[in-house]
Amino acid sequence: MPKRSSDRRSILLLSVGHSCVDVYQGAVAALVPFFAAERHYGYAAVSGVVLAASLLSSVAQPLFGALTDRRPLPWLLPVSTLLGGAGIALSGVGGSYGLTLAFVALSGVGVAAYHPESARVARLAARRAGDGRRGLGTHRGMAWFSLGGNLGFAAAPLLVAAVVGTGGLRLTPLLALPALAGAALCLPVLRELERRRAAGEAREPVPGADDRAAFVRLSLAVVCRSVAFVGLSTFLSLFTTQRLGGGPAAGTAALVVLYAGGAVGSVLGGALADRWGRVAVARWSYLVAAVAVAGVLLVPGPALYLFVALTSAGLYVPFSLQVTLGQDYLPSRIGTASGITLGLTVSVGGLASPVIGALADATSLRTALLPLVLMPVLSWALFRTLPEPVVSERVAPEAGTAPVGR
């Protein structure tokens, strides 16, 4: 198989594998109505479940990223995929609240272990597929990789509704099936990595100087984006049901729109960035998101779904762009940058969920969600301070898949 074709095949497999992993991130929010119905959890209790998935993941992803900066760990891809699936599969069979939190946290660790290494491998394949200058290129390759994750998010409510909606929480072990498929899809990618390493073809760009100040500002922008997205996705199903009626189906439909719109946004973001630059595209997207979140909470009737779609696009267009920006601001720490932008800053949004839940218990759900309108505005303001990094396309002469610069 020609080299560039094999790299594009690797990106496709990584994208589908990413979808299988991120099913389990989306499944947490999708399980919330069922935990509330079967186990009578209140707002604070269900937000605690989301926190359990986010907390360990937020701490662990940068740690796994730092490990992969020192030494590539491609075997983490299938192992972490299986771990993420096992936690969600067991979350419905543990009767106590403590066991539910523990199993969801286990899934979060699996998700944390997957993302830094998979992002590093996807970046390598994207650069080779586009030869650093044409074809897929880094922006579009990473956009397709992110698309897979977004499709996994979008599929999660449908999968949970099909399995748990028909037989209750006792059927959550069936949710392990995507993990088995995702682990199998990782194996051809690992074989291709090993072949490249043996042939001396697995080379990465020579890193330039780190811009840590820009990386910190980027990370704060991603935190604000995460608070808006995680807070909205945690309670969107319940909010939609309250506003429109129609039972759980109306809430599930809103979650599907939120996650599916992200699939469109990720691919669109890569294409727009090739023309106008990543920073400018992200900046305008956050303005759209701020207006859209306000529309979700304030505009009456079925128009809610339109604003959910706009919110999804506005929050997801910058998603893959932020990953490559982080990698370019910290070129000597690709794994750490990926772990922070894909993990820590994204998962920190889960820390806000219990606060939103407690406020909703004390007031109303709409009142608790209104502060989320400000989060995209803060991301927009932070992006106004960021430069567009200039990336070197030179490659290191030595073989091996380890990032250069350690």
Side-chain angles (χ1 to χ4, degrees):
M1 181 181 295
K3 294 178 182 178
R4 194 165 298 163
S5 296
S6 65
D7 289 321
R8 293 183 178 183
R9 176 173 173 266
S10 292
I11 292 171
L12 175 61
L13 292 174
L14 285 166
S15 180
V16 179
H18 193 189
S19 178
C20 293
V21 171
D22 277 7
V23 159
Y24 300 112
Q25 292 202 80
V28 177
L31 284 168
V32 160
F34 298 100
F35 285 132
E38 288 193 34
R39 298 179 179 175
H40 309 291
Y41 294 166
Y43 289 133
V46 295
S47 61
V49 174
V50 176
L51 176 62
S54 301
L55 188 59
L56 278 179
S57 180
S58 66
V59 175
Q61 286 206 41
L63 297 178
F64 282 111
L67 285 175
T68 60
D69 280 335
R70 293 181 177 276
R71 181 178 182 180
L73 301 172
W75 55 266
L76 273 178
L77 271 62
V79 171
S80 60
T81 300
L82 293 173
L83 193 62
I88 294 299
L90 294 171
S91 67
V93 298
S96 72
Y97 185 66
L99 277 178
T100 300
L101 295 181
F103 288 136
V104 170
L106 177 68
S107 178
V109 172
V111 170
Y114 175 85
H115 281 96
E117 182 67 358
S118 63
R120 184 189 67 81
V121 174
R123 180 183 173 94
L124 274 175
R127 281 190 176 276
R128 290 194 303 253
D131 196 23
R133 295 178 295 277
R134 57 188 181 276
L136 281 173
T138 306
H139 303 339
R140 294 195 181 190
M142 289 299 290
W144 284 103
F145 172 70
S146 297
L147 170 65
N150 298 335
L151 290 175
F153 262 103
L158 299 176
L159 181 63
V160 169
V163 174
V164 183
T166 57
L169 290 172
R170 63 185 179 84
L171 293 185
T172 55
L174 293 177
L175 298 177
L177 293 177
L180 297 175
L185 290 171
C186 291
L187 300 181
V189 178
L190 300 190
R191 286 195 294 268
E192 178 64 15
L193 278 176
E194 178 58 26
R195 188 193 69 77
R196 292 272 188 171
R197 186 200 64 79
E201 297 172 359
R203 301 175 295 170
E204 293 201 16
V206 174
D210 291 342
D211 187 345
R212 296 183 181 181
F215 183 78
V216 169
R217 295 196 298 274
L218 172 70
S219 299
L220 291 174
V222 181
V223 166
C224 295
R225 182 255 181 211
S226 173
V227 171
F229 181 79
V230 177
L232 191 61
S233 63
T234 300
F235 297 104
L236 180 62
S237 180
L238 295 173
F239 179 76
T240 303
T241 302
Q242 288 179 7
R243 287 282 305 278
L244 303 181
T252 297
L255 272 181
V256 170
V257 172
L258 181 68
Y259 295 154
V264 176
S266 291
V267 175
L268 183 62
L272 293 176
D274 282 342
R275 182 168 183 179
W276 285 294
R278 291 168 288 179
V279 172
V281 169
R283 192 165 60 232
W284 284 105
S285 296
Y286 279 126
L287 284 181
V288 171
V291 175
V293 173
V296 170
L297 300 177
L298 300 175
V299 174
L304 175 146
Y305 291 107
L306 171 62
F307 285 102
V308 169
L310 290 174
T311 297
S312 181
L315 293 177
Y316 267 109
V317 162
F319 188 76
S320 66
L321 307 182
Q322 291 167 162
V323 176
T324 59
L325 279 170
Q327 293 171 337
D328 290 340
Y329 288 143
L330 289 185
S332 69
R333 302 291 187 273
I334 295 293
T336 300
S338 301
I340 292 174
T341 53
L342 278 171
L344 178 61
T345 50
V346 172
S347 300
V348 162
L351 300 178
S353 294
V355 178
I356 297 172
L359 182 58
D361 283 331
T363 57
S364 70
L365 189 52
R366 176 189 282 179
T367 300
L369 293 175
L370 276 174
L372 298 182
V373 176
L374 296 176
M375 294 297 106
V377 177
L378 293 175
S379 294
W380 167 81
L382 286 161
F383 260 90
R384 283 178 58 84
T385 71
L386 292 177
E388 184 73 40
V390 178
V391 183
S392 169
E393 297 296 344
R394 296 178 298 136
V395 292
E398 65 267 23
T401 59
V404 179
R406 288 299 302 187

